[in-house]
Amino acid sequence: MSMFPGFSAGTRLLVTGGAGFIGSHVVDAFLEAGAEVTVLDDLTTGDPERLDPRAVIRRVDVTDAAALDEAVRSARPDVICHLAAQIDVRVSVATPAVDARVNVEGTINVLEAAHAVGARVVFASTGGALYGEGVPVPTNEDTLPRPGAPYGTAKYCAEKYIGLFNRLHGTEHSVLRLGNVYGPRQSPGGEAGVIAIYCGLASEGGVPTVFGDGSQTRDYVYVGDVAAAFVAPYGTVGPASGTSDTGKGSTVLEVLDHIAAASGRDLPPRFAPRRPGEIQHSTLDVTRVAADLGWTASVPLEKGIAATYAWVRSGSPVRQQA
Ligand SMILES: NC(=O)c1ccc[n+]([C@@H]2O[C@H](COP(=O)([O-])OP(=O)(O)OC[C@H]3O[C@@H](n4cnc5c(N)ncnc54)[C@H](O)[C@@H]3O)[C@@H](O)[C@H]2O)c1
């Protein structure tokens, strides 16, 4: 029996970027709901070991339109969750054209391939990186995005193509603007979330660095909740868009308190100067996603952090259920 409305066993799902942190949890959620799952990933940051062995994986780069089209035609998906992306904001600043190629052109290629087989697309956009500075907090979907980096600009542009395809072809593609996603399988390197980094430090007896006074807020959302949000549009009628988040901001110092509680260790931080350009408060309004998709986050921060810390403590195995 499916736990999701409108979903039946044998529904075919394709996940681009499915070997990544969030994508692998989306794969698990759809497998649990009875779907047949194919993953397309070029494995730049992805790892096939993250995947449930029931998922079929093919190494495909979304910027290669011909290879993508062939892979989508052979998988014949009903739904495509599009998560493949260049996610590093600093890379996007250093090489904006490279970022746009993956995040804009790659998304257009996915839309074209989806069009050829009549599949519905659910796109992973971003919240915090989209809206930029000086917007009302919590921020809702009516706010005009003014991204501060090429990454957010490319995601916004990709959203615009999704809206265009819906008008042009009468499709029902959806957009999810994700907050700060955290949980097991998140790599602590690079641009990864602060929670993965602090859990690693707590486990190794290191000292966390807090930039500024630690009062900056973010909307941290557990990856299992986000995976459920990707399944939610499938049960809705018409294109849906929304912000999958908790609607509640938490400070960096609160995060450290929860990690200290989970690890049973005191975690006095080292304070460093505030980083230039860092947004002080970012929290997303979740009213519309609740109304449109009937989705709300269900895992409280302390519980999600405890699960993430337990995963780090157990040696950060690549594949573990959330
Ligand atoms: N992590 C967050 O907090 C967060 C917040 C907002 C939005 N998002 C979005 O969610 C999605 C997944 O992010 P994640 O945190 O799991 O990152 P991730 O790096 O773990 O996953 C991205 C996946 O895409 C694959 N990929 C990259 N370029 C590709 C290409 N050209 N062709 C095919 N595959 C390619 C990578 O190998 C990887 O498996 C991204 O679209 C990201 O922009 C993430």
Side-chain angles (χ1 to χ4, degrees):
M1 253 291 276
S2 165
M3 58 207 251
F4 301 107
F7 205 95
S8 56
T11 292
R12 286 185 301 274
L13 173 78
L14 191 140
V15 186
T16 73
F21 159 52
I22 301 172
S24 67
H25 287 278
V26 171
V27 169
D28 286 346
F30 274 93
L31 281 171
E32 186 159 332
E36 291 171 16
V37 179
T38 303
V39 165
L40 304 185
D41 199 300
D42 76 347
L43 304 180
T44 43
T45 59
D47 184 342
E49 297 288 318
R50 284 196 177 107
L51 290 171
D52 186 302
R54 287 174 292 174
V56 174
I57 174 155
R58 292 190 58 182
R59 192 166 183 168
V60 173
D61 183 337
V62 294
T63 66
D64 182 343
L68 179 69
D69 184 64
E70 187 280 314
V72 169
R73 280 179 198 274
S74 90
R76 290 182 300 118
D78 304 296
V79 183
I80 299 178
C81 291
H82 175 40
L83 292 96
Q86 189 304 110
I87 68 158
D88 192 323
V89 173
R90 282 169 300 191
V91 167
S92 84
V93 173
T95 53
V98 171
D99 179 80
R101 178 128 204 268
V102 180
N103 291 343
V104 181
E105 195 181 323
T107 300
I108 296 170
N109 291 341
V110 168
L111 288 167
E112 285 280 87
H115 183 58
V117 297
R120 186 169 181 185
V121 176
V122 184
F123 173 60
S125 189
T126 174
L130 196 81
Y131 294 119
E133 280 288 7
V135 292
V137 174
T139 314
N140 71 22
E141 293 84 350
D142 296 327
T143 307
L144 185 67
R146 289 171 56 245
Y151 168 74
T153 306
K155 286 285 186 183
Y156 188 40
C157 187
E159 285 190 4
K160 292 285 155 195
Y161 270 99
I162 287 166
L164 170 71
F165 267 64
N166 282 345
R167 292 191 297 278
L168 199 58
H169 300 300
T171 44
E172 298 188 336
H173 305 319
S174 303
V175 171
L176 286 171
R177 291 181 175 168
L178 311 181
N180 280 55
V181 188
Y182 74 97
R185 301 184 202 153
Q186 187 164 29
S187 135
E191 277 285 300
V194 72
I195 292 178
I197 294 166
Y198 286 163
C199 281
L201 283 169
S203 157
E204 290 159 9
V207 178
T209 300
V210 167
F211 295 95
D213 63 4
S215 66
Q216 61 270 48
T217 51
R218 293 290 178 273
D219 206 338
Y220 299 102
V221 61
Y222 190 63
V223 68
D225 277 334
V226 170
F230 274 88
V231 187
Y234 190 79
T236 63
V237 176
S241 74
T243 299
S244 67
D245 228 318
T246 62
K248 284 195 287 277
S250 304
T251 68
V252 170
L253 295 181
E254 281 164 357
V255 165
L256 274 180
D257 280 348
H258 290 312
I259 297 175
S263 64
R265 298 187 52 231
D266 271 349
L267 278 179
R270 185 175 72 83
F271 287 94
R274 198 180 154 185
R275 283 182 291 197
E278 191 184 352
I279 297 172
Q280 184 64 10
H281 296 293
S282 172
T283 306
L284 306 172
D285 188 323
V286 291
T287 314
R288 189 181 297 175
V289 75
D292 277 9
L293 304 184
W295 177 93
T296 50
S298 67
V299 178
L301 188 60
E302 59 267 41
K303 230 180 124 190
I305 283 182
T308 310
Y309 183 75
W311 172 75
V312 169
R313 260 326 266 175
S314 68
S316 309
V318 208
R319 167 132 190 94
Q320 175 182 306
Q321 297 293 344

